[in-house]
């Protein structure tokens, strides 16, 4: 899976984000590092076609602004604020939301998906809780689990370990 960015320019008021060229190949791991307000979240939103920009972005050979529905099953975006991403009645339903909506899954498959996620990030004790019952760090873990649940080819994590303690950070 390739992600190709050419001459990306995003402007809002006095803020300007530019990215000349970037190519990410299948298997590459890339970290976007910058100060608060430097445009990391804006960059992710541009890559997904959620912000208006000039230039070109291609994910899997498709423009996210034009073919969002075709690429989104292959991309998971872990937002900076977990409260913007957890919206179901239980953590279990949040984790199963993408698999249920991107491909049909049976009850057996759902159980297997939950087990697979639990092997990567242990959230067993949180599965039947409502998101509003969780601490910020627990919410972050649940959002990460929901991103991993449908095994997308591209993972975009925006500050995935903020507010996690050292033990939890080591799991990632």
């Amino acid at each position: 899976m390739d992600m190709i960015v050419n001459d990306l320019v995003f402007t809002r008021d006095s803020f300007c984000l530019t990215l000349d060229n970037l190519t990410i190949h299948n298997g590459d791991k890339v970290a976007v590092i910058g100060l608060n307000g430097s445009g990391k979240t804006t960059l992710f939103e541009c890559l997904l076609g959620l912000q208006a920009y000039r230039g070109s972005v291609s994910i899997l050979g498709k423009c996210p602004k034009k073919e969002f529905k075709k690429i989104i099953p292959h991309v998971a975006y872990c937002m900076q604020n977990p409260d913007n991403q957890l919206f179901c009645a239980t953590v279990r339903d949040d984790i199963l939301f993408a698999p249920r909506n991107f491909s049909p899954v049976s009850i057996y498959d759902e159980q297997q998906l939950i087990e697979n996620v639990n092997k990567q990030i242990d959230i067993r004790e949180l599965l039947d809780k409502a998101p509003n019952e969780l601490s910020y760090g627990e919410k972050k873990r649940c959002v990460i689990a929901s991103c991993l649940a449908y095994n997308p080819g591209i993972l975009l994590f925006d500050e995935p370990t903020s507010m996690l303690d050292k033990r939890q950070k080591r799991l990632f």
Side-chain angles (χ1 to χ4, degrees):
M1 292 193 191
D2 287 333
M3 180 183 298
I4 301 167
V5 179
N6 289 304
D7 303 320
L8 184 133
V9 178
F10 170 87
T11 56
R12 182 185 308 130
D13 303 323
S14 63
F15 177 79
C16 182
L17 171 71
T18 61
L19 180 59
D20 294 333
N21 297 295
L22 173 68
T23 300
I24 302 173
H25 299 285
N26 188 19
D28 287 353
K29 292 178 175 75
V30 177
V32 178
I33 301 170
L35 299 172
N36 288 345
S38 64
K40 300 179 300 289
T41 299
T42 301
L43 173 61
F44 287 152
E45 291 173 354
C46 287
L47 293 175
L48 292 170
L50 302 174
Q51 292 285 352
Y53 59 85
R54 293 188 316 271
S56 67
V57 174
S58 172
I59 298 177
L60 306 172
K62 297 169 180 39
C63 173
K65 288 195 284 189
K66 296 176 183 171
E67 299 182 271
F68 183 77
K69 288 183 180 182
K70 290 183 181 176
I71 65 155
I72 204 60
H74 306 284
V75 179
Y77 177 38
C78 177
M79 296 177 184
Q80 186 173 0
N81 182 350
D83 289 322
N84 293 338
Q85 202 159 352
L86 297 172
F87 51 86
C88 292
T90 66
V91 169
R92 179 186 312 274
D93 288 334
D94 268 310
I95 290 170
L96 294 171
F97 181 83
R100 286 175 176 163
N101 286 281
F102 294 145
S103 64
V105 254
S106 69
I107 299 298
Y108 173 77
D109 292 330
E110 289 183 358
Q111 285 301 104
Q112 189 61 49
L113 285 170
I114 293 292
E115 268 312 303
N116 291 343
V117 167
N118 275 321
K119 288 176 186 172
Q120 297 174 70
I121 176 171
D122 187 7
I123 51 154
R124 283 175 183 84
E125 76 280 2
L126 306 176
L127 288 171
D128 296 318
K129 292 187 176 186
N132 66 335
E133 298 174 346
L134 306 177
S135 71
Y136 187 88
E138 289 171 331
K139 289 177 185 180
K140 282 297 253 192
R141 288 173 49 211
C142 292
V143 166
I144 293 167
S146 70
C147 288
L148 296 172
Y150 66 104
N151 199 27
I154 298 171
L155 296 165
L156 299 175
F157 291 119
D158 194 352
E159 308 232 10
T161 60
S162 68
M163 304 295 283
L164 296 181
D165 60 28
K166 285 183 180 181
R167 184 180 73 79
Q168 291 299 321
K169 286 181 181 180
R170 275 187 240 127
L171 294 175
F172 302 108

